[in-house]
Amino acid sequence: MELKKNLYTIGGIPVIGLAQKHGSPLYIYDTAVMIRQYERITSAFSGTRLRINYACKALTNINVLKLFRGLGSGLDAVSVQEVELGLKAGFEPRDILYTPNCVSIEEIEEAVELGVRINIDNIAILEEFGVKYGARIPVCVRINPHVLGGGNNKISTGHIDSKFGISIYQMPHVHRIVETNKMKVEGIHMHTGSDILDMETFLRASEVMFGTAKEFKELDYVDFGSGFKVPYKADDVSTDVESMGKDLTKRFNLFCKEYGKELTLIFEPGKFLVSEAGYFVARVNVIKQTTSTVFAGLDTGLNHFIRPMFYEAYHEIINVSKPGGKTRIYTVVGYICETDTFGWNRKISEATEGDYLLFRNAGAYCYAMSSNYNSRFRPAEVLVHKGVDHLIRKREEMEDLLRNQLEIDTL
Ligand SMILES: *Cc1c(COP(=O)(O)O)cnc(C)c1O
């Protein structure tokens, strides 16, 4: 986003113009930022055989999937529906890694039918899978290295009680199942949570991965999941991808030498690739002065944008209608019949009814987590690509709310 001639623009297009043209509230994504982020990782890891699988649960619009496919990315899918979206977007089955958690063996069988790579994260399913497919279908094994990432406990997955992955202490059992059923383990995977802040923690988890990986003799890849942190405000610490690239490339290449084979290093970022590319615009419905604060009430709420409430996430808010205006303090809230506060005590340039407020970092886990709560329509999505804005999802209408409802005639 840029401020040019007193006008906020995304990919060169004024934000206000986009909101007026496509309506409010509105999600806007800038492909240039997605491409920049993708290339940041590929160049940081240019010294090794790298594969990026975009973790599409962050933002599943099919156009975003197609963009990443075009860049050479694979896909990380956590449900069979995401697998199907990926296939529809043109990904080859072998370029999709299906990484579910606590799903039924039936859903895993569906994914096998679709020909994608399978990542298994519990012993019961591994055994069932082995008995059924034996050496015919290779698998990846998701481990839990028990190394803690920082950040929000809702997104940390490496702790001892986590439901994700197979504990490294259970590897003897894994090997017994693999050998007995003559299974081929083609990959080892970990995803320790979304907020690894420091390289030390990450490298510690990597050492656990290497230690586990060397015991499997038929690997093709080692998948380090994600954990890339992006800045949400100016003084945020974020993952230094460039220095991580240097350190891990060296260590990974050394491991490959020891292992005796050139393996592929996989990352599966979601947030890193799309968070900063996304913006959410909403209009001020009402300015409400109470005894203790001034509320700015918007034409949206936790139904469209739940990260601030669900994760206590900080999202920068800008009044794009009054660039450079004098600032006041607001509590920015939604219109849902719940406490849906987007931000307390935010210094925003003085807002009046009808102004457009812009939220930053709205690419990842924002539209993807939206709902119809309070029977509101979900917003539209716009993709700005090469200076042109494309409507990539229509705003919902009444018939969308009623689509699957069946009226009985005895009422
Ligand atoms: C959600 C998820 C990711 C992506 O995490 P980000 O923090 O968005 O990068 C990667 N891998 C798996 C298995 C996931 O569930």
Side-chain angles (χ1 to χ4, degrees):
M1 192 179 60
E2 276 190 316
L3 184 57
K4 256 198 228 151
K5 292 188 193 135
N6 224 20
L7 211 59
Y8 283 101
T9 60
I10 295 172
I13 305 178
V15 177
I16 296 198
L18 291 171
Q20 283 165 344
K21 176 173 170 188
H22 300 284
S24 168
L26 182 69
Y27 277 101
I28 305 164
Y29 312 118
D30 183 353
T31 57
V33 178
M34 297 180 193
I35 295 166
R36 177 196 78 199
Q37 292 295 90
Y38 186 85
E39 288 176 350
R40 265 185 75 192
I41 308 188
T42 50
S43 53
F45 286 88
S46 60
T48 194
R49 192 198 293 200
L50 174 78
R51 174 138 198 101
I52 294 177
N53 287 338
Y54 168 51
C56 70
K57 75 175 187 289
L59 177 60
T60 40
N61 191 291
I62 192 156
N63 297 283
V64 174
L65 270 57
K66 283 181 169 175
L67 177 86
F68 284 114
R69 191 204 67 206
L71 295 175
S73 177
L75 202 71
D76 188 73
V78 293
S79 69
V80 76
Q81 290 78 12
E82 283 187 357
V83 167
E84 287 179 45
L85 278 174
L87 294 171
K88 239 190 147 76
F91 285 92
E92 294 292 331
R94 66 170 181 278
D95 292 335
I96 299 177
L97 179 63
Y98 169 61
T99 303
N101 173 257
C102 288
V103 302
S104 66
I105 185 76
E106 288 80 11
E107 185 174 314
I108 291 175
E109 285 165 3
E110 263 183 75
V112 170
E113 289 301 309
L114 294 169
V116 299
R117 295 186 194 273
I118 308 291
N119 194 358
I120 292 183
D121 98 326
N122 71 77
I123 285 199
I125 294 279
L126 183 74
E127 187 157 21
E128 225 173 319
F129 195 96
V131 169
K132 179 156 178 150
Y133 299 108
R136 275 192 297 133
I137 311 284
V139 291
C140 177
V141 172
R142 177 175 186 172
I143 65 159
N144 181 348
H146 302 303
V147 175
L148 262 181
N152 191 300
N153 62 7
K154 281 189 187 144
I155 47 182
S156 197
T157 60
H159 55 88
I160 195 89
D161 292 328
S162 170
K163 67 165 186 159
F164 297 98
I166 301 175
S167 167
I168 42 164
Y169 303 114
Q170 291 177 299
M171 285 304 123
H173 193 180
V174 167
H175 283 288
R176 197 160 293 143
I177 291 167
V178 166
E179 278 151 32
T180 310
N181 295 300
K182 302 187 166 38
M183 300 172 78
K184 182 186 173 190
V185 176
E186 62 171 4
I188 290 289
H189 170 277
M190 71 168 182
H191 172 63
T192 50
S194 282
D195 252 18
I196 290 188
L197 281 161
D198 61 301
M199 273 317 294
E200 207 182 296
T201 312
F202 186 81
L203 291 174
R204 208 148 30 90
S206 305
E207 288 309 320
V208 176
M209 279 276 275
F210 293 132
T212 310
K214 73 176 193 309
E215 302 301 326
F216 292 89
K217 303 301 177 198
E218 297 183 283
L219 293 182
D220 296 321
Y221 57 88
V222 181
D223 186 334
F224 291 85
S226 184
F228 298 95
K229 194 172 156 55
V230 297
Y232 279 69
K233 47 179 183 273
D235 55 353
D236 267 355
V237 191
S238 58
T239 308
D240 182 348
V241 174
E242 289 69 25
S243 96
M244 179 179 179
K246 257 188 225 128
D247 292 351
L248 190 60
T249 295
K250 220 161 78 195
R251 181 65 189 95
F252 185 75
N253 289 344
L254 192 67
F255 174 75
C256 291
K257 219 180 237 166
E258 287 164 20
Y259 189 79
K261 182 177 175 186
E262 198 188 336
L263 301 168
T264 300
L265 193 172
I266 299 182
F267 277 117
E268 44 192 40
K271 192 183 278 178
F272 184 83
L273 295 177
V274 298
S275 174
E276 292 161 289
Y279 303 86
F280 183 56
V281 193
R283 208 174 43 208
V284 177
N285 275 342
V286 63
I287 298 292
K288 182 171 177 176
Q289 173 84 57
T290 67
T291 46
S292 57
T293 188
V294 184
F295 286 104
L298 307 185
D299 64 347
T300 183
L302 59 72
N303 53 327
H304 296 154
F305 187 42
I306 202 172
R307 292 193 84 257
M309 306 90 193
F310 194 50
Y311 299 121
E312 288 165 32
Y314 181 97
H315 287 263
E316 192 183 334
I317 306 171
I318 299 166
N319 182 354
V320 287
S321 296
K322 305 268 172 56
K326 79 167 186 206
T327 57
R328 292 194 65 184
I329 288 169
Y330 295 94
T331 298
V332 181
V333 295
Y335 62 9
I336 290 294
C337 298
E338 299 275 350
T339 302
D340 55 347
T341 306
F342 292 112
W344 277 275
N345 301 332
R346 294 303 186 87
K347 254 175 141 175
I348 298 168
S349 84
E350 183 154 25
T352 49
E353 279 130 27
D355 281 359
Y356 289 108
L357 301 193
L358 180 81
F359 294 84
R360 303 194 71 160
N361 285 79
Y365 308 108
C366 291
Y367 188 93
M369 286 187 160
S370 65
S371 77
N372 290 119
Y373 187 45
N374 279 203
S375 296
R376 298 284 186 181
F377 305 140
R378 268 177 289 206
E381 295 182 292
V382 164
L383 190 73
V384 177
H385 183 55
K386 295 182 176 166
V388 181
D389 55 308
H390 303 271
L391 182 66
I392 56 168
R393 191 193 301 261
K394 291 191 292 185
R395 187 176 308 283
E396 286 180 336
E397 298 173 347
M398 203 58 211
E399 67 184 50
D400 295 308
L401 296 187
L402 287 166
R403 186 181 313 283
N404 293 323
Q405 300 193 34
L406 303 170
E407 290 185 70
I408 59 174
D409 54 16
T410 50
L411 289 173

